[in-house]
Amino acid sequence: MDVTPILDNLNDAQRQAVTLPNEPALVIAGAGSGKTRVLVHRIAWLIDVEGVSPNGLLAVTFTNKAAAEMRGRVEQLLGIPVRNLWIGTFHGLAHRLLRRHYREAKLPQNFQIIDSDDQLRIIKRMLKSLDVDDGRWVPREVQWFINGQKDEGIRPQHIDDEGDPDKRQLVSFYSTYEEICDRGGLVDFAELLLRAHELWRENPELLAHYQRRFQHLLVDEFQDTNAIQYAWLRLLAGKTSTPFVVGDDDQSIYRWRGARVEHIHQFQKDFPGTRIIKLEQNYRSTGMILNAANAVIANNMGRMGKNLWTDGVDGDPIRLYAAYNERDEADFIVARIRDWVDQGNLRAEAAVLYRSNAQSRVLEEGLINARIPYRVYGGLRFFERMEIKDALAYLRLIAHRDDDASFERVVNKPTRGIGARTVEMIRSYARANACSLWRAAGAIASDELNGRAANAVLSFLNLIERMARDVEHLDLQDKVDHVIQISGLIEFFRKEKGEAGETRIENLNELVSAAKGFEPDPAEEMQPLDEFLAHAALEAGEGQADAWEDCVQLMTMHSAKGLEFPLVFLSGMEDGLFPHQRSVSDPNGLEEERRLCYVGITRAMQSLYITHAEQRRMHGMENFAIPSRFIGEVPDEYVEEVRPKVQVSRPVRSYGRPQTSVAQAQQAEMGVHLGQRVRHGKFGDGVILNYEGQGPHARVEVNFETAGTKWLVLSYANLDLM
DNA sequence: TACTATTTAATTTTT
DNA sequence: TTAAATAGTA
């Protein structure tokens, strides 16, 4: 067997990992160290060299994107399509299991997956119907609690309320929510995992079957596993399978949504004799960037420990820019991107990263003014759009009449005279008789409701029945097309003013195209419509569609994880923003922020700029800000401060030492006061109207007698006091 | 039912 | 500031 293609171009550590004997393995893979490469080559090695059947492999990732990439690269490496190879997300795999064994999982065959938006709607409705104090119980918090418990693998009956009435209330919400979902055949994301886990736990022969089948488990981004995911893996691994997990404790940035880095340590206990391999050679960034990243992350405690290195160039130092305010910061970034493009580089190679989404606004304004195309990551995805979810709700009702979430969504959309009153009557009947809204509507339409409302409800019920009949023998695409036409959604959105309605109709048509292009997987043995609906829930699609123009990339540091760019800006590096205010008081929170900073730094391949503003408008208020403490953690020798063109003397470097910046703000008031008369070389005499900022960036607004009002930077303007 | 005024709060996101 | 949720009005 010629193993060259599989082992070629791997470094020693990578090769060692790929060729490990069949034992539990933990690969600590630093940023840019070839993590995916190792996983892909390991799979190829097992299949091609160890002779393992693709059947016996299970590879798990967190995102659909990662799963698709992995499958693609494996097939490319092996040169053949690998059928029967289970590669997928935790949720996707759990879903597949639940479909196959829906009876054992105690689910209806046509159960529907709800996304977090659907879930929130259900919870809101539930809280309303329970008539609890809505000031006390915020739907989001209840949702947070329920998902948090599910992520830990906990059912309501397992929770001890400790005599705390608030907790008891939350547990009871959780219970009621479960009943609602069970009645409607609805499964939320966390439920997929929890059910799949219970499915195995309660059906030992089923579990044994999968344990026998999957002798090799491979897990990507292991540091991101939550309790239920880890429990699921451990169950599957049993005593004989050998998990091969890859992760980076320093890139664990999702603790807030249940991820536990501790699983890296737990793994070594649960699987004695685990081989640990560290991948520390980095193929992405310059030496300077890696040095900075290493220095910052070294401030965290309890790491596995690792130091990234490269045999490439040191590169340029990290550029640090202290902006006067957020506008100045944006202008600076725009100017650097201009330079970059002028040097013949692509805009798409430049990424501006920030801690929170709100920060994109100023940056966008700057880019728009400069006429530089850009793309903001995040935001609504295709299957999350209102009009798409409306259309899907009709489809779901057709497939599954008892789906209350969908019923509520479209019962009066477009408006058909079924107002809040009528819906409330349907709800209360449903509650009293523990049945679905659909059945309740049918039951009360004939007697309890008065003429007009009864007619409206009956015509809605008929509409759905008629659609279901009309559509029965059509193929998927025509089903979707028929539904968006007959439901009246197109008409409804046509009336919506502005361009919004236009776009919505385009999106609905796009949904038909998506249905046309959808290829059901014969292995899933599902109705194409059900499979399409599941797909829509599990894979919400791309954030922004038109990605192919060459444009600057704007995103949060979280969404930048896993990506790389030649030119990177870390913007808004100020204490309170990053690290975020809500994290600074908690050491764990602070360490997670630091890991996020590490993630940010290690996105950069060639050039890294760190910017912060001395003054920033937040929530409509001007605030003075201190440079992020993380800036001070980058040793001076890797940093070059970028100053405004003119010579500016900054008294002392203040990075890493809080307070100084505030002190400077005070100093800024030196000798300059409102109404002060000044003389300018060119503009002549004037009077100070306003001033802002401090140090080298202090600016004054001067009303000149002849030249009008102007903002001037004190350090350039050379004003004389009069 | 739909539009408008008022209040309130303000990370990070995938499935 | 601004987005979203709620309350009030036509």
Side-chain angles (χ1 to χ4, degrees):
Chain A
M1 162 73 50
D2 178 19
V3 297
T4 337
I6 295 176
L7 297 185
D8 247 11
N9 305 317
L10 295 181
N11 66 34
D12 287 347
Q14 290 172 337
R15 184 174 302 129
Q16 203 193 340
V18 165
T19 59
L20 276 178
N22 192 13
E23 284 163 18
L26 171 61
V27 180
I28 302 295
S33 66
K35 166 185 73 102
T36 310
R37 191 182 179 77
V38 163
L39 272 170
V40 164
H41 285 247
R42 173 70 176 174
I43 293 173
W45 171 266
L46 288 171
I47 293 175
D48 242 22
V49 181
E50 299 284 336
V52 177
S53 157
N55 256 312
L57 285 173
L58 182 78
V60 198
T61 64
F62 276 83
T63 66
N64 292 298
K65 198 173 150 204
E69 191 194 344
M70 206 185 295
R71 177 179 291 278
R73 283 173 64 173
V74 168
E75 295 188 339
Q76 197 184 9
L77 188 58
L78 291 177
I80 43 156
V82 206
R83 296 236 27 96
N84 311 326
L85 174 60
W86 282 35
I87 295 184
T89 62
F90 277 101
H91 293 84
L93 296 169
H95 173 243
R96 183 182 287 186
L97 288 168
L98 294 178
R99 288 287 176 197
R100 295 201 169 179
H101 309 289
Y102 65 91
R103 284 190 206 89
E104 293 91 333
K106 304 183 194 83
L107 286 169
Q109 182 167 19
N110 58 355
F111 71 85
Q112 302 286 316
I113 302 171
I114 54 171
D115 66 15
S116 27
D117 181 57
D118 298 328
Q119 184 186 39
L120 187 61
R121 282 161 171 269
I122 291 174
I123 291 168
K124 277 182 184 163
R125 205 181 65 219
M126 173 184 84
L127 292 177
K128 275 226 177 73
S129 79
L130 289 174
D131 204 30
V132 289
D133 177 7
D134 52 348
R136 176 67 191 80
W137 302 106
V138 188
R140 282 214 175 275
E141 287 169 8
V142 175
Q143 180 184 34
W144 186 260
F145 174 81
I146 293 174
N147 287 337
Q149 297 303 314
K150 289 191 178 193
D151 284 346
E152 298 286 322
I154 302 168
R155 291 294 187 191
Q157 56 271 25
H158 302 143
I159 306 174
D160 174 12
D161 61 32
E162 299 154 347
D164 176 353
D166 283 359
K167 192 155 185 195
R168 184 170 343 127
Q169 181 63 274
L170 283 169
V171 174
S172 124
F173 289 150
Y174 182 7
S175 268
T176 311
Y177 170 77
E178 274 195 322
E179 284 164 25
I180 294 172
C181 290
D182 284 344
R183 194 160 60 233
L186 304 175
V187 176
D188 62 47
F189 289 135
E191 185 74 22
L192 284 170
L193 302 173
L194 186 45
R195 281 275 173 149
H197 181 252
E198 289 168 350
L199 170 72
W200 278 344
R201 209 185 49 202
E202 287 157 22
N203 296 277
E205 49 328 308
L206 205 69
L207 172 62
H209 166 260
Y210 284 102
Q211 285 177 335
R212 267 195 309 277
R213 171 169 174 182
F214 295 119
Q215 286 296 303
H216 298 269
L217 313 178
L218 298 101
V219 187
D220 189 18
E221 304 278 17
F222 182 68
Q223 78 284 352
D224 284 340
T225 49
N226 66 26
I228 191 69
Q229 288 161 339
Y230 184 64
W232 187 81
L233 280 172
R234 228 174 42 182
L235 206 51
L236 178 59
K239 295 213 159 45
T240 53
S241 303
T242 50
F244 181 97
V245 306
V246 181
D248 181 359
D249 54 328
D250 291 334
Q251 291 188 72
S252 161
I253 55 175
Y254 288 116
R255 188 181 178 82
W256 53 276
R257 64 177 200 210
R260 290 291 173 269
V261 219
E262 295 88 319
H263 291 150
I264 286 187
H265 304 286
Q266 190 60 38
F267 184 85
Q268 299 167 64
K269 289 188 200 143
D270 290 339
F271 299 94
T274 293
R275 305 275 201 129
I276 299 174
I277 292 183
K278 288 184 189 172
L279 306 181
E280 298 180 294
Q281 183 174 2
N282 175 291
Y283 296 93
R284 177 186 293 159
S285 313
T286 62
M288 286 283 189
I289 291 167
L290 296 179
N291 290 342
N294 286 330
V296 169
I297 200 65
N299 291 285
N300 271 6
M301 312 286 289
R303 304 167 55 220
M304 293 287 289
K306 113 175 94 54
N307 225 29
L308 296 177
W309 60 275
T310 177
D311 61 10
V313 298
D314 274 352
D316 297 330
I318 286 145
R319 306 300 185 356
L320 180 62
Y321 179 69
Y324 158 64
N325 62 12
E326 75 279 1
R327 301 271 311 272
D328 180 32
E329 180 184 43
D331 290 346
F332 173 80
I333 291 172
V334 166
R336 296 291 78 72
I337 292 176
R338 272 228 179 92
D339 295 346
W340 174 260
V341 174
D342 288 347
Q343 286 156 29
N345 299 297
L346 289 173
R347 292 186 281 260
E349 291 170 339
V352 189
L353 311 185
Y354 36 80
R355 173 66 234 264
S356 59
N357 293 110
Q359 290 166 251
S360 74
R361 194 184 212 94
V362 200
L363 297 164
E364 289 183 68
E365 281 168 13
L367 288 162
I368 289 171
N369 288 337
R371 299 178 193 286
I372 298 175
Y374 64 89
R375 170 164 112 108
V376 185
Y377 278 62
L380 269 196
R381 293 151 59 216
F382 183 72
F383 286 107
E384 291 169 349
R385 291 170 191 278
M386 174 175 63
E387 61 277 17
I388 299 302
K389 297 211 68 175
D390 291 340
L392 293 175
Y394 276 102
L395 289 164
R396 280 158 70 140
L397 267 187
I398 285 172
H400 194 179
R401 246 35 69 92
D402 292 336
D403 179 343
D404 286 358
S406 298
F407 184 97
E408 289 254 6
R409 186 169 185 114
V410 295
V411 66
N412 198 35
K413 191 167 187 184
T415 41
R416 43 174 74 88
I418 305 177
R421 278 219 117 107
T422 314
V423 175
E424 191 41 56
M425 288 179 71
I426 299 175
R427 277 199 210 107
S428 69
Y429 183 93
R431 215 174 312 134
N433 295 279
C435 69
S436 66
L437 294 173
W438 175 266
R439 300 187 44 173
I444 65 173
S446 31
D447 41 270
E448 283 180 48
L449 290 175
N450 63 34
R452 227 184 21 199
N455 275 340
V457 171
L458 281 175
S459 79
F460 174 68
L461 298 179
N462 284 332
L463 172 73
I464 300 295
E465 293 289 6
R466 196 173 70 237
M467 284 200 293
R469 239 179 300 121
D470 290 352
V471 126
E472 199 177 345
H473 300 293
L474 298 178
D475 62 26
L476 180 60
Q477 149 190 205
D478 294 329
K479 276 192 171 100
V480 176
D481 192 28
H482 190 265
V483 164
I484 65 172
Q485 303 297 339
I486 305 300
S487 62
L489 283 177
I490 297 260
E491 255 325 287
F492 178 76
F493 288 120
R494 210 187 298 284
K495 286 189 206 120
E496 200 176 22
K497 47 184 174 266
E499 267 178 56
E502 198 85 353
T503 321
R504 297 224 144 101
I505 292 169
E506 278 168 30
N507 286 331
L508 285 173
N509 290 323
E510 189 56 39
L511 182 66
V512 180
S513 311
K516 187 177 179 186
F518 182 69
E519 289 175 25
D521 180 351
E524 298 289 359
E525 296 166 20
M526 287 170 66
Q527 293 292 318
L529 176 56
D530 285 332
E531 197 178 331
F532 183 65
L533 292 171
H535 172 261
L538 284 174
E539 197 162 351
E542 277 290 302
Q544 304 279 306
D546 45 356
W548 283 128
E549 194 188 2
D550 173 34
C551 49
V552 175
Q553 315 287 305
L554 265 58
M555 69 192 82
T556 63
M557 302 207 198
H558 280 92
S559 22
K561 190 173 160 221
L563 305 177
E564 58 180 25
F565 306 92
L567 173 63
V568 168
F569 298 86
L570 301 184
S571 69
M573 293 286 286
E574 294 134 43
D575 254 38
L577 242 193
F578 189 37
H580 194 275
Q581 197 58 52
R582 294 207 170 169
S583 307
V584 289
S585 48
D586 164 33
N588 280 326
L590 197 58
E591 292 215 337
E592 178 142 316
E593 296 281 304
R594 188 176 284 111
R595 291 192 291 268
L596 184 58
C597 182
Y598 176 77
V599 167
I601 294 172
T602 53
R603 297 311 95 193
M605 300 163 80
Q606 293 170 28
S607 303
L608 176 64
Y609 283 88
I610 293 180
T611 62
H612 70 271
E614 293 171 343
Q615 195 177 355
R616 180 178 296 270
R617 203 182 177 90
M618 280 177 83
H619 315 318
M621 301 261 288
E622 291 293 344
N623 288 101
F624 289 107
I626 300 167
S628 170
R629 62 195 74 188
F630 301 144
I631 294 179
E633 293 173 4
V634 181
D636 284 350
E637 63 255 47
Y638 311 134
V639 181
E640 179 184 293
E641 278 188 70
V642 183
R643 299 260 170 71
K645 296 149 261 174
V646 193
Q647 83 316 330
V648 173
S649 57
R650 239 169 177 266
V652 233
R653 259 291 292 279
S654 60
Y655 297 107
R657 259 158 291 143
Q659 285 105 20
T660 12
S661 182
V662 174
Q664 284 166 3
Q666 256 74 60
Q667 288 164 20
E669 296 173 19
M670 33 101 202
V672 180
H673 59 266
L674 301 188
Q676 167 82 49
R677 293 199 56 87
V678 292
R679 176 169 294 163
H680 184 273
K682 201 153 86 198
F683 301 130
D685 291 351
V687 59
I688 293 181
L689 297 177
N690 203 351
Y691 63 88
E692 295 182 283
Q694 69 277 172
H697 297 295
R699 304 194 311 161
V700 290
E701 188 181 29
V702 183
N703 185 13
F704 291 105
E705 283 163 11
T706 49
T709 46
K710 297 198 181 304
W711 276 102
L712 301 169
V713 176
L714 274 182
S715 46
Y716 304 178
N718 217 1
L719 289 172
D720 288 324
L721 301 179
M722 308 233 349

